[in-house]
Amino acid sequence: MTGDELLRQISHIVSEKATEDDVFGRLGGDEFVLYLCGDSDKCIDRFAEIHKKMHFDHYENDNKIEIHCS
C-alpha cells in the first residue's frame, strides 16, 4: 500500500508541472520517463522544479522514508 501511495504522490507532483504535450509514464517498478515538450530553457526550468519536489519525506508507522529521484 505504501508503494501505491508513493506512486500517487509522484504522479501528482509531475502532473502539477506537466503540460498536455508532455509525456509521463511508468516504465516499471520505480522507474519513470518524463519527456518535456517546448522551449528547452522552459523545459529545463520545469524539470528543475519537478526534480526539487521529488525530494520529500514519507512517514509510515512512525518510520521516515526519504524519497528522491535521480
Side-chain angles (χ1 to χ4, degrees):
M1 292 180 70
T2 300
D4 290 342
E5 175 59 28
L6 292 173
L7 291 174
R8 282 191 288 276
Q9 288 181 22
I10 289 167
S11 294
H12 179 74
I13 289 168
V14 174
S15 68
E16 286 182 326
K17 296 294 178 184
T19 68
E20 61 184 40
D21 294 328
D22 297 334
V23 177
F24 175 63
R26 183 177 175 200
L27 296 176
D30 62 354
E31 295 179 338
F32 296 86
V33 64
L34 175 61
Y35 179 83
L36 300 173
C37 294
D39 175 79
S40 62
D41 289 334
K42 290 180 182 177
C43 288
I44 290 169
D45 291 342
R46 281 192 298 133
F47 177 77
E49 290 178 41
I50 292 168
H51 188 260
K52 183 178 179 178
K53 287 186 173 190
M54 286 291 193
H55 187 97
F56 60 93
D57 295 333
H58 176 81
Y59 293 90
E60 176 136 357
N61 300 327
D62 296 328
N63 294 313
K64 180 175 115 174
I65 304 168
E66 191 173 318
I67 307 300
H68 59 89
C69 73
S70 56

